[in-house]
Amino acid sequence: METFYMSDRGKVRQHNEDSVGVFNNEIGILAIVADGMGGHLAGDVASQMTIQTFQSLWENVKQLDSPKDAENWFIHTALEVNKTVYEHSLANPECQGMGTTIVGAIITEEFATIGHIGDSRCYLFTQAGFTQITQDHSLVNELVKSGQISKEDAEHHPRKNVLLRALGTEQTVELDVKTIGFEENDILLICSDGLTNKLTDEEISSELIKSHSLDIIGKTLIDIANENGGEDNISLVIVKRTANELGEASC
C-alpha cells in the first residue's frame, strides 16, 4: 500500500483549519481528513482534536474481522469523538459552536470502509473509472437530489457552504459508512472541499490517471487548486494499493 497526504493553507486564509492523519496498525490503515469550522482558531481545535482522538482510539484496535466490524467501529468512534469535541466547545467559550467535517477510510487487505460527515469527500479511481463514493451533507446537495437545482447551479449557489451535518456541533451525530472493494492499482482520494471546489471531477481524474508518484499527483492537485484561487484550505490523502503489504505513509 502506498500513501501520500498533505494539507495546504491556500492563498487567502490566514490559518489552516484542516487537519490530516494517516495511521498504521496491525489491521491496516486509517486515513482521515477533517475540515474545521468555528470562531477564531476554533476550527483548528476541532479538526486537530478529531484527528488526535481518532488516532488514539485506532491504536487500541486489535481486530476487525469483517466490513461490518469496521463500519461499527467507525460509527461508534465517530460518536465518541463527537462527544469529545462537543464537550470541549461547551467548556471553553472561545470554542463555542466549533465543529468539523470528516472523511476517512479504514483500509485492510480485504476491503476499504469509508465514513464521512459533512462535505469533505472520498473518490475511488479504478480501471473502470472515477467515482465519488460519498454524498455531501449540504443544503445544495439536497436541492440537487430533490431536483430543485442542477449540479451546475450548485457550483455557484450562494448557500453552497451551508452544511446539514458536522461533527462536534450537536450532542450526537450520524456517520455515513460504506464498504467497497479495493484492488491492486485502485486509488482512493479523500479530500476537503478546498480541493473539490476548485477542480472538476474530470480535472481530478486526469491527474490520477497519470503514471506519476503519489506525491507528484497530490502536490499537483493542490497547486491547481491554488492556481484557481486557493480561497480555502486544501487537504488530501491518496492511497494506492500496489501490493499485498500495507506500507508507511509519506507526506
Side-chain angles (χ1 to χ4, degrees):
M1 201 80 68
E2 188 179 339
T3 64
F4 172 80
Y5 63 96
M6 184 174 178
S7 186
D8 188 87
R9 189 182 69 187
K11 296 178 68 177
V12 175
R13 298 284 180 91
Q14 294 300 308
H15 305 284
N16 190 349
E17 295 187 322
D18 289 0
S19 296
V20 182
V22 177
F23 311 111
N24 292 277
N25 68 11
E26 58 194 64
I27 294 170
I29 292 171
L30 173 66
I32 299 242
V33 168
D35 180 353
M37 56 195 165
H40 180 63
L41 297 183
D44 306 43
V45 175
S47 65
Q48 291 170 14
M49 184 176 294
T50 294
I51 295 297
Q52 290 166 2
T53 309
F54 263 105
Q55 178 184 12
S56 64
L57 294 172
W58 179 247
E59 288 173 350
N60 295 325
V61 178
K62 303 302 181 186
Q63 192 171 358
L64 292 174
D65 291 329
S66 68
K68 191 64 177 177
D69 288 344
E71 291 174 2
N72 286 337
W73 181 87
F74 229 148
I75 291 168
H76 294 146
T77 301
L79 288 171
E80 189 168 344
V81 175
N82 184 80
K83 181 181 178 182
T84 300
V85 175
Y86 181 70
E87 290 181 350
H88 185 88
S89 73
L90 295 181
N92 297 272
E94 71 277 10
C95 293
Q96 186 175 2
M98 75 175 183
T100 184
T101 72
I102 61 165
V103 59
I106 296 170
I107 304 161
T108 74
E109 296 293 351
E110 288 76 37
F111 57 84
T113 296
I114 315 301
H116 90 290
I117 299 168
D119 61 355
S120 293
R121 294 180 181 176
C122 177
Y123 294 91
L124 176 66
F125 183 79
T126 71
Q127 287 185 333
F130 182 70
T131 307
Q132 182 177 329
I133 302 298
T134 56
Q135 290 292 322
D136 296 351
H137 299 135
S138 65
L139 175 63
V140 294
N141 192 49
E142 289 302 312
L143 295 175
V144 170
K145 286 162 63 177
S146 65
Q148 297 180 58
I149 63 173
S150 68
K151 288 190 70 173
E152 291 72 24
D153 292 336
E155 292 302 315
H156 308 286
H157 196 279
R159 302 189 72 190
K160 179 178 172 65
N161 294 325
V162 176
L163 294 180
L164 301 181
R165 202 186 302 180
L167 185 145
T169 57
E170 304 286 346
Q171 282 186 304
T172 188
V173 72
E174 182 181 356
L175 180 86
D176 284 0
V177 290
K178 179 183 292 187
T179 297
I180 60 174
F182 193 53
E183 301 178 354
E184 192 165 340
N185 293 321
D186 288 355
I187 297 174
L188 270 181
L189 168 68
I190 66 175
C191 58
S192 63
D193 66 342
L195 183 75
T196 56
N197 283 339
K198 290 298 163 186
L199 282 83
T200 66
D201 287 0
E202 291 74 20
E203 288 172 319
I204 296 172
S205 177
S206 69
E207 294 302 321
L208 292 176
I209 202 171
K210 295 176 180 177
S211 56
H212 294 154
S213 62
L214 295 191
D215 63 325
I216 291 176
I217 293 172
K219 290 173 183 176
T220 299
L221 289 171
I222 288 176
D223 285 346
I224 295 171
N226 277 322
E227 289 166 6
N228 290 343
E231 292 91 352
D232 201 355
N233 309 141
I234 312 154
S235 298
L236 55 77
V237 180
I238 309 174
V239 184
K240 182 176 183 180
R241 184 178 288 283
T242 55
N244 289 328
E245 294 186 2
L246 295 166
E248 295 297 322
S250 62
C251 65

